[in-house]
Structure formats: structure tokens, C-alpha cells
Amino acid sequence: MATLEIRDLHVSVEADNATKEILKGVDLTVRQGETHAIMGPNGSGKSTLAYSLAGHPKYTITSGTVTLDGENVLDMTVDERARAGLFLAMQYPVEIPGVSVSNFLRTSATAIRGEAPKLRTWVKEVKETMTGLQMDPAFAERNVNEGFSGGEKKRHEILQLELLKPKIAILDETDSGLDVDALRVVSEGVNRVRETGEVGTLLITHYTRILRYIKPDFVHVFAHGRIAASGGAELADKLENEGYEVYTKGGASA
Ligand SMILES: Nc1ncnc2c1ncn2[C@@H]1O[C@H](COP(=O)(O)OP(=O)(O)OP(=O)(O)O)[C@@H](O)[C@H]1O
Ligand SMILES: [Mg+2]
């Protein structure tokens, strides 16, 4: 079973000619087959964790380790991370002008699998997955994220997730901007992937809404750049009722 291990991760950014530490010692282990939810208030560093794992150049790892099956993720290029089985869906996905969804998916699958998927089975696989996500087939010919609505971007992410079958998936605010029907459709996609037992999922959110559809095995509260508390699915209900204040009081954020 693949395991993502984050140990005492400290991350800084350069902002206004000063170095600002955002992650202050994150410890987290995600195993293939497990579903973890990270919840926490705005600005607590959740997306910074996702960007750091993705290898975004703006975020400097000042100390700590990240390994996938014992291999140092922080040494890997963005491509190598994807090939190693890491999948990252960002809160604000980028547009790729001139590249269609269908080309993008096939190129990604080829890079990750090490060989081009057989065209006939691939086309069928894409079609079926799009149907499952209630996406119009015409969507496959559009340029990646160009003019996509918020909900379309999120469906496109889950389409990638289902087709690329990573070992560990990090989904940042996959629920934001979704109407109730889209939330259900997207959640069903995540659950399909989960039921394979072959993907470990880290779901970043600040609403418990999505957790009605996707029952996490573990819930972690993020505050001031680290995990302040961990528990089971019941912790999400507690947060819904009580808010984050008990975790954010005291330590000033900046
Ligand atoms: N590139 C950057 N330059 C300057 N400051 C940054 C940068 N990235 C993150 N920060 C700061 O780090 C803190 C954490 O931001 P981050 O986006 O990780 O929070 P978040 O928990 O994802 O919040 P939200 O729930 O609003 O998405 C914020 O104060 C943010 O302004
Ligand atoms: Mg965020």
C-alpha cells in the first residue's frame, strides 16, 4: 500500500520583501485507500500545503520531509510527482489555451502510465467517465479550463482523477462553487475512486457540506499552519456546530 508521509513540514513564501512562514510543522500520513479531510479557517495554510506538495516554485520548504513510499517527493520535479502517483487538484485550476480536454487527458495518461492508452478502450473509458459525471461529450473538445464555469472546472478535475487513477489525490476545495446537484455528482466521482481502495484522498475544505456525501475516515483541523486536532468523522460534526474558534484562539496567525 502506497503511503504519503509528511513530517514536520515548514514552508515559507516571499511576500513584500519579507519571508513569511506559513506552514509551521505539518505532520500527516495518508495511506492508499484512506480518506482524510483537512478542515480549517480561511488563511490557515491549507492551500499552501497543497501547493507545496505540488512543487509550486513560490513555496520554499525550509525544513521537514515529504515521502511517497519512502521516496523523497521534495526532490522530484512536478512531472515525477505525477508519475510517482500524486494527483493534485488546485483550488484555482489554470487555463491551458490551445489544449483540448481530450488531448490533455490522453497526454497525462500516457505520461503517467508510461505508454499511450489503447485508443479504442481509452475513448470508451473517457466517455463512460464523462457520463458518470453528467458531462456533455462536447466538453472534451474544449480547451482546458478556458471559460469553464466553477462547477465545470471541478467536474473536469474529478474526470482527471477517475481516469488517471493516482495513488494519492489531494483535492483542494473541490466543493467550492458547486450547486447541490453538482456537489452530489462530484462526490459520487470521488466515492467511485475511493471504492477501488487504491487511492488515498486528502480532501481540503472548510465546509462540512461535502462530508455528507464523502464520509472521511479521518478529519484534521488546520489552524495557524499546522494540524491542531485530529479525529474521526464525528470531528466534522463538532466543527459544524462549534466552529474553529477553540483552535484559532490564542496563537496569532502572522
Ligand atoms: N504566494 C503567496 N504570497 C503571499 N502570501 C501568501 C501566498 N500564499 C499564501 N499566502 C498567505 O498564507 C496564508 C495561508 O494561505 P492559504 O491559501 O494556504 O490558506 P487557506 O487555508 O487555503 O485559506 P482558504 O480557506 O481561504 O482557501 C494566508 O495568509 C495567505 O495570504
Ligand atoms: Mg485555500
Side-chain angles (χ1 to χ4, degrees):
M1 279 287 142
T3 307
L4 177 75
E5 278 196 71
I6 304 170
R7 288 290 166 270
D8 197 29
L9 190 69
H10 289 254
V11 172
S12 298
V13 290
E14 289 296 323
D16 308 324
N17 296 317
T19 305
K20 185 175 163 198
E21 181 169 66
I22 299 172
L23 298 188
K24 300 169 182 169
V26 177
D27 284 295
L28 183 65
T29 302
V30 181
R31 294 182 184 82
Q32 231 173 337
E34 296 176 348
T35 303
H36 293 248
I38 287 196
M39 309 193 64
N42 291 131
S44 54
K46 305 181 299 296
S47 293
T48 299
L49 176 62
Y51 281 124
S52 306
L53 296 174
H56 193 295
K58 244 197 128 117
Y59 299 85
T60 309
I61 317 287
T62 53
S63 64
T65 58
V66 179
T67 58
L68 180 60
D69 289 337
E71 300 283 329
N72 184 357
V73 170
L74 302 176
D75 265 357
M76 298 179 192
T77 62
V78 174
D79 271 29
E80 287 168 342
R81 291 177 202 218
R83 276 199 294 275
L86 264 186
F87 175 88
L88 295 122
M90 292 301 149
Q91 187 171 0
Y92 303 105
V94 294
E95 295 182 3
I96 316 181
V99 177
S100 70
V101 165
S102 123
N103 272 332
F104 175 75
L105 290 170
R106 192 141 195 277
T107 306
S108 308
T110 304
I112 288 169
R113 297 180 190 180
E115 58 175 2
K118 294 235 162 31
L119 202 54
R120 208 145 33 101
T121 47
W122 173 252
V123 170
K124 190 165 163 257
E125 210 181 325
V126 173
K127 254 199 195 136
E128 283 173 2
T129 312
M130 287 183 81
T131 306
L133 291 166
Q134 296 178 17
M135 294 170 85
D136 184 336
F139 204 82
E141 299 320 314
R142 296 208 18 207
N143 289 340
V144 171
N145 286 321
E146 215 174 57
F148 286 15
S149 75
E152 287 166 348
K153 284 182 183 161
K154 300 298 162 178
R155 280 178 209 237
H156 176 237
E157 280 175 1
I158 303 307
L159 177 64
Q160 291 173 54
L161 173 67
E162 289 199 69
L163 289 170
L164 300 179
K165 302 185 179 71
K167 291 178 184 160
I168 305 287
I170 293 147
L171 308 176
D172 193 3
E173 307 252 350
T174 286
D175 48 345
S176 73
L178 293 180
D179 63 42
V180 280
D181 297 327
L183 182 65
R184 186 179 42 75
V185 169
V186 160
S187 303
E188 284 168 1
V190 174
N191 283 330
R192 274 194 294 275
V193 164
R194 179 189 192 172
E195 279 154 20
T196 64
E198 285 169 8
V199 181
T201 307
L202 186 60
L203 205 63
I204 300 175
T205 181
H206 40 217
Y207 301 110
T208 50
R209 227 167 53 125
I210 194 166
L211 304 180
R212 280 186 219 140
Y213 299 99
I214 305 168
K215 285 283 162 231
D217 303 306
F218 305 95
V219 173
H220 310 278
V221 186
F222 218 77
H224 303 308
R226 62 166 72 94
I227 289 171
S230 296
E234 76 291 340
L235 181 55
D237 299 324
K238 189 166 170 257
L239 293 169
E240 174 95 329
N241 295 327
E242 298 171 11
Y244 296 121
E245 209 173 75
V246 287
Y247 304 101
T248 55
K249 264 192 314 220
S253 73

